Amino acid sequence: MAEDQAKPRSRAALLLLAAIALAAGLATLYWLDARSRIGATQEELARRLRDIENDAREARSIARQSQEGMREAQVKVAQLEARLAESQSQQLGLEALYQELSRNRDEWQLAEIEQVLAIASQQLQLAGNVRAALLALQLADARLAKTDRPQFLPVRRALARDIERLKALPVLDIAAMSSRIDTLVAGVDTLPLAFEERSVAARNETRDSERGFWSRLGSEVWGEIRQLVVVRQVGSSEPPLLPPPQAYFLRENLRLRLLNARLSLLARDEAGYREDLRAAQAWIRRYFDADSKHTADAVNQLKQLSAASISFEMPAISESLDAVRGFKSRRTRSAG
């Protein structure tokens, strides 16, 4: 009985020891597994820490590079801002210079146009030179149109009105007519007289040189007597006999008549102009050779000049001058 009871106890003890050993083995296995896991975890953590440190170093390096790049960018931005400020200052200076040059150019141009119009106005009023005044107005308008400035429109409108007024005038070239009269004045000495006494005297002197002393003396005495008494037939159709002194004064008086006609033309005195031309034409027909080409041309020129009317009133171009001067004064006040 005792042995039978001891056997179960020994089996229970063996089972207990086996259970303890199994538990110890399992605990050992668990501990080894846990230790290996802890080691692997530590290695993983160490690896990750190294990676994090490497990433941190790279990040710090990148941050340093970024800071350096930022500093360089800031330096470049500062340089660009300085250059921008300098360029803006230069641009403002250039704009001011351009405005000054443009203002000066406009002032010079307006001064030139004013001078041209003043000279044209003088020519128009003193000499009646409509063509010169019209050309001056058209030149001024072309120069203003070339600038294409809207502020010049009032001046250009005034120029256009004066141009239309001059174009509406009768076609009368005072300068050309005056030049034709000057040509007639210069050709007075070339007109042949109807009875040239000098040629007769020259032929008489040639004959006298062939005679003897007494014959020449008698001719000279007879010539002196002839100069004391002059007999002329009134109402005769023959051309009058003019001695050399009278022929000289005739040419001078004819020249004076033509010069007076030119002065009357410039002064637009139609009555005096026509009277001087009529007297000159009558003298040429009476005292000069009508068969000569020079005489016929002179008479035709006088007829053509007498046919022109010079009594119309000459307009002024004061509107254009006033517009230019008013524009200049307004610019001066605005600049001041």
Side-chain angles (χ1 to χ4, degrees):
M1 285 290 291
E3 290 179 0
D4 291 334
Q5 291 179 353
K7 287 180 181 179
R9 290 177 182 175
S10 60
R11 283 197 298 271
L14 289 174
L15 291 171
L16 181 60
L17 289 174
I20 292 171
L22 180 60
L26 291 173
T28 302
L29 290 174
Y30 180 76
W31 178 76
L32 290 174
D33 182 61
R35 185 176 179 179
S36 63
R37 289 183 180 181
I38 292 171
T41 303
Q42 289 177 349
E43 290 178 357
E44 181 67 22
L45 288 174
R47 185 180 64 78
R48 291 187 178 183
L49 287 174
R50 288 193 298 272
D51 293 339
I52 291 172
E53 289 178 356
N54 293 330
D55 293 340
R57 284 194 294 271
E58 292 178 358
R60 286 194 294 272
S61 176
I62 293 172
R64 284 194 298 271
Q65 293 177 358
S66 298
Q67 291 176 355
E68 292 176 357
M70 186 176 295
R71 284 193 294 271
E72 292 177 356
Q74 289 176 352
V75 172
K76 290 180 179 179
V77 169
Q79 292 177 352
L80 290 175
E81 289 178 351
R83 292 180 180 176
L84 179 61
E86 184 179 359
S87 65
Q88 288 177 349
S89 177
Q90 292 177 354
Q91 184 177 1
L92 292 175
L94 289 174
E95 289 179 356
L97 181 61
Y98 175 76
Q99 291 177 359
E100 184 68 21
L101 290 175
S102 178
R103 186 181 302 109
N104 291 336
R105 184 180 61 186
D106 291 344
E107 290 176 357
W108 296 336
Q109 189 171 14
L110 288 172
E112 291 178 357
I113 290 174
E114 181 183 5
Q115 185 177 7
V116 169
L117 293 179
I119 295 174
S121 179
Q122 293 176 359
Q123 289 289 322
L124 186 63
Q125 296 302 318
L126 296 178
N129 197 343
V130 178
R131 179 173 298 179
L134 185 59
L135 289 176
L137 290 172
Q138 291 173 345
L139 175 62
D141 183 67
R143 295 192 64 176
L144 292 178
K146 192 174 182 181
T147 59
D148 196 16
R149 301 284 185 86
Q151 59 266 29
F152 289 149
L153 288 178
V155 179
R156 293 192 62 195
R157 284 195 288 267
L159 289 171
R161 287 191 290 270
D162 281 338
I163 289 173
E164 291 300 323
R165 277 193 286 269
L166 291 182
K167 285 184 177 179
L169 293 176
V171 179
L172 181 63
D173 195 346
I174 299 293
M177 295 173 66
S178 178
S179 177
R180 291 172 66 180
I181 294 176
D182 288 338
T183 303
L184 289 173
V185 171
V188 167
D189 291 332
T190 63
L191 296 176
L193 291 170
F195 186 85
E196 191 69 52
E197 188 181 13
R198 286 175 293 181
S199 61
V200 176
R203 288 195 297 271
N204 292 334
E205 290 177 0
T206 303
R207 296 194 200 98
D208 291 341
S209 63
E210 297 175 354
R211 301 174 186 173
F213 171 74
W214 294 106
S215 298
R216 289 198 303 273
L217 180 61
S219 298
E220 291 176 1
V221 172
W222 176 244
E224 293 294 333
I225 294 174
R226 287 180 58 189
Q227 290 183 1
L228 293 176
V229 179
V230 178
V231 179
R232 292 181 180 173
Q233 183 178 358
V234 179
S236 175
S237 60
E238 295 295 327
L241 178 64
L242 293 176
Q246 292 187 12
Y248 169 77
F249 287 115
L250 171 64
R251 294 182 188 274
E252 291 301 316
N253 288 331
L254 178 60
R255 186 178 286 108
L256 288 176
R257 277 289 189 176
L258 293 174
L259 291 174
N260 286 334
R262 186 167 70 89
L263 291 176
S264 299
L265 172 65
L266 297 178
R268 292 187 295 280
D269 179 11
E270 186 162 0
Y273 171 74
R274 293 187 180 279
E275 176 60 25
D276 290 326
L277 291 182
R278 185 199 62 76
Q281 189 174 352
W283 288 356
I284 291 175
R285 286 176 173 172
R286 177 174 176 81
Y287 295 106
F288 293 89
D289 185 8
D291 296 331
S292 172
K293 183 178 182 301
H294 295 289
T295 305
D297 290 341
V299 172
N300 290 332
Q301 290 286 338
L302 290 173
K303 286 181 179 179
Q304 294 175 7
L305 290 170
S306 300
S309 176
I310 61 172
S311 61
F312 59 88
E313 183 179 357
M314 198 67 64
I317 57 174
S318 57
E319 184 177 358
S320 298
L321 272 172
D322 293 340
V324 173
R325 289 167 180 168
F327 185 82
K328 287 180 62 180
S329 63
R330 288 193 297 272
R331 283 179 64 91
T332 303
R333 288 196 300 267
S334 63

